[in-house]
Amino acid sequence: MSAVLLIADSDSQMLYCEALARGHRAAGLELTIHLIPRDGTPEAVKRRMEQLGTVQQGSLGTLLQDPGLSRFAAIGVFLTGSKIAGFRSAYLRSRQHDHHRRALLFCGFNGVVLERFEEAVTWRLGYDLICLNGPRDQARFERFLRHTPFRGQRTVLTGLQRAMVAEVRPLADRPRQLVFAEQVAMPSSLEERRQLARLVVDLAQRFSDWQVVLKPRVATHEATFHEIGEHITTTLEQVCRRRPANLTVSYAPLAALLADSRLFATLSSTALFDALDHGCSALVMGDFGLRSDLGSDFFGGSGLVRSLAAIGDLDALVGLQGDSAWLHWVGYDEGCSPSQLFDAIKRHRLQQAGAPAQDPLELEHRGYVVNSADISSNQLRRSAETAIAAHDYAEAGKLLEMAALQRPDNGNIQRRLKAVRCPSRLGRRLLLLASPRFSL
């Protein structure tokens, strides 16, 4: 049985690991998940990881120095920003004298890629495999790299079918219930957020024979990697002093709500594909138009866009199905699944026992600026300075620790790291003043 390690550092990355890991036991893989949770990460998300495999926690620095890392045939890295490139660089350096025991390194995108796709690709270049959702992302990926030395970068399509639902309850047997899920890409202006809340309230008022459930992204005491600003319940109270009796707010797991609902609505969430997995009819809110800043432009051509204000009959939307060609294009298709990744891991394992391991993709090319080791360490240091300015010394310590692993001979990184780790407030301030601030 091949041992696989998944590394995740935020709630959305953990949820992607959960989706990616479905079916790993049937593929003969033994799964370990290394969590680097942030303060406020929902405990329910962490507990769900424990149902997948062995869970461990700790910093990236500790993990990279763990001799047990050699037992893994494959390592999946699901981190934020430059840390993805940073891990690859540090791991390859740690294996440069024993490259035959190197694991297959893979990474991916935690859900629908709504913006900055090209930038995200550059952080991931050099991995043995990059997981993409489907033909849409693959076409964009190949177009971006086709005239560069990196066109040989390997990819695998793991799809957007995120849940394994053993038995789907018929829609006719479910109550008249619609779930509206908040997501990362919400309107940034307070007025638009209030307009969204009013549209949901109005929907409940017009269809009193339906139960409308508002599912916030997190509870009021929880935090995620993505800042949400004013909590959606606060916005709801401002636009509606007395909610309609059939409008409720629920923090129940989304999967449970979807299994018991006929309709699901969202502005642009990847959760739309979770709804389809659970046999729940889904629609995309089109009241704000198809806008790139909201991510709703991704759903153009899906056949699922509807204006909440213009809906005249909710029952008529039950059974709504998306355009089949569009679903295939974005990766919601049986041909795009984690099984492709599992097959690649097993092939790598066989290769380790026979032919020499394939050399990693060379990222140093004259005239091409990508996230190679030096650029990555510089980015880590720049991000650490941003964290220091925000007085987030724990985050700065994690970033500088990664930079130190990449550049162990750099004294300035070590001095800056010592400063942010100083437990004394006055001592930390003095050490920060004494150590040079990094800038390009």
Side-chain angles (χ1 to χ4, degrees), residues 4 140 164 250 265-266 269 271 278 421:
V4 177
R140 297 169 70 196
M164 295 186 73
S250 176
T266 186
S269 176
H278 287 83
R421 284 181 169 172

mmCIF file of all heavy atoms in Angstrom, residues 4 140 164 250 265-266 269 271 278 421:
data_model
loop_
_atom_site.group_PDB
_atom_site.id
_atom_site.type_symbol
_atom_site.label_atom_id
_atom_site.label_comp_id
_atom_site.label_asym_id
_atom_site.label_seq_id
_atom_site.Cartn_x
_atom_site.Cartn_y
_atom_site.Cartn_z
ATOM 1 N N VAL A 4 0.621 8.223 1.207
ATOM 2 C CA VAL A 4 0.472 9.551 0.599
ATOM 3 C C VAL A 4 0.271 10.574 1.702
ATOM 4 O O VAL A 4 -0.482 10.344 2.656
ATOM 5 C CB VAL A 4 -0.725 9.583 -0.375
ATOM 6 C CG1 VAL A 4 -0.919 10.987 -0.953
ATOM 7 C CG2 VAL A 4 -0.526 8.579 -1.508
ATOM 8 N N ARG A 140 -6.506 26.644 -20.828
ATOM 9 C CA ARG A 140 -5.885 27.892 -20.369
ATOM 10 C C ARG A 140 -4.429 27.645 -19.979
ATOM 11 O O ARG A 140 -3.547 28.462 -20.269
ATOM 12 C CB ARG A 140 -6.651 28.449 -19.170
ATOM 13 C CG ARG A 140 -8.078 28.846 -19.451
ATOM 14 C CD ARG A 140 -8.822 29.125 -18.164
ATOM 15 N NE ARG A 140 -8.369 30.354 -17.517
ATOM 16 C CZ ARG A 140 -8.640 30.649 -16.254
ATOM 17 N NH1 ARG A 140 -9.338 29.805 -15.500
ATOM 18 N NH2 ARG A 140 -8.214 31.771 -15.735
ATOM 19 N N MET A 164 -18.740 11.923 -2.460
ATOM 20 C CA MET A 164 -19.173 10.570 -2.800
ATOM 21 C C MET A 164 -20.484 10.312 -2.069
ATOM 22 O O MET A 164 -20.501 10.099 -0.857
ATOM 23 C CB MET A 164 -18.108 9.544 -2.396
ATOM 24 C CG MET A 164 -16.808 9.680 -3.164
ATOM 25 S SD MET A 164 -15.631 8.365 -2.791
ATOM 26 C CE MET A 164 -16.380 6.976 -3.645
ATOM 27 N N SER A 250 -28.701 28.769 9.257
ATOM 28 C CA SER A 250 -28.248 27.469 9.728
ATOM 29 C C SER A 250 -26.737 27.336 9.600
ATOM 30 O O SER A 250 -26.142 27.738 8.589
ATOM 31 C CB SER A 250 -28.923 26.347 8.930
ATOM 32 O OG SER A 250 -28.413 25.085 9.321
ATOM 33 N N ALA A 265 -28.977 27.760 -4.082
ATOM 34 C CA ALA A 265 -28.661 29.000 -4.789
ATOM 35 C C ALA A 265 -27.368 29.587 -4.247
ATOM 36 O O ALA A 265 -27.078 29.482 -3.057
ATOM 37 C CB ALA A 265 -29.802 30.006 -4.633
ATOM 38 N N THR A 266 -26.617 30.208 -5.130
ATOM 39 C CA THR A 266 -25.352 30.825 -4.735
ATOM 40 C C THR A 266 -25.012 31.927 -5.717
ATOM 41 O O THR A 266 -25.598 32.023 -6.805
ATOM 42 C CB THR A 266 -24.223 29.773 -4.696
ATOM 43 O OG1 THR A 266 -23.038 30.373 -4.186
ATOM 44 C CG2 THR A 266 -23.932 29.230 -6.087
ATOM 45 N N SER A 269 -20.304 30.163 -5.769
ATOM 46 C CA SER A 269 -19.538 29.216 -4.963
ATOM 47 C C SER A 269 -19.296 27.881 -5.654
ATOM 48 O O SER A 269 -20.152 27.365 -6.384
ATOM 49 C CB SER A 269 -20.261 28.964 -3.641
ATOM 50 O OG SER A 269 -19.583 27.984 -2.886
ATOM 51 N N ALA A 271 -19.481 25.367 -4.135
ATOM 52 C CA ALA A 271 -20.472 24.500 -3.503
ATOM 53 C C ALA A 271 -21.606 24.130 -4.446
ATOM 54 O O ALA A 271 -22.352 23.175 -4.185
ATOM 55 C CB ALA A 271 -21.042 25.169 -2.252
ATOM 56 N N HIS A 278 -25.214 15.962 -4.593
ATOM 57 C CA HIS A 278 -26.283 15.497 -3.704
ATOM 58 C C HIS A 278 -27.644 15.462 -4.398
ATOM 59 O O HIS A 278 -28.676 15.277 -3.743
ATOM 60 C CB HIS A 278 -26.370 16.382 -2.460
ATOM 61 C CG HIS A 278 -25.241 16.165 -1.488
ATOM 62 N ND1 HIS A 278 -24.013 16.761 -1.612
ATOM 63 C CD2 HIS A 278 -25.172 15.378 -0.379
ATOM 64 C CE1 HIS A 278 -23.237 16.379 -0.618
ATOM 65 N NE2 HIS A 278 -23.906 15.540 0.136
ATOM 66 N N ARG A 421 10.257 35.841 16.970
ATOM 67 C CA ARG A 421 9.992 34.767 17.930
ATOM 68 C C ARG A 421 10.275 35.168 19.376
ATOM 69 O O ARG A 421 10.025 34.393 20.291
ATOM 70 C CB ARG A 421 10.826 33.535 17.572
ATOM 71 C CG ARG A 421 10.267 32.765 16.390
ATOM 72 C CD ARG A 421 11.098 31.552 16.083
ATOM 73 N NE ARG A 421 10.429 30.679 15.131
ATOM 74 C CZ ARG A 421 10.994 29.617 14.572
ATOM 75 N NH1 ARG A 421 12.252 29.308 14.864
ATOM 76 N NH2 ARG A 421 10.325 28.873 13.715
#
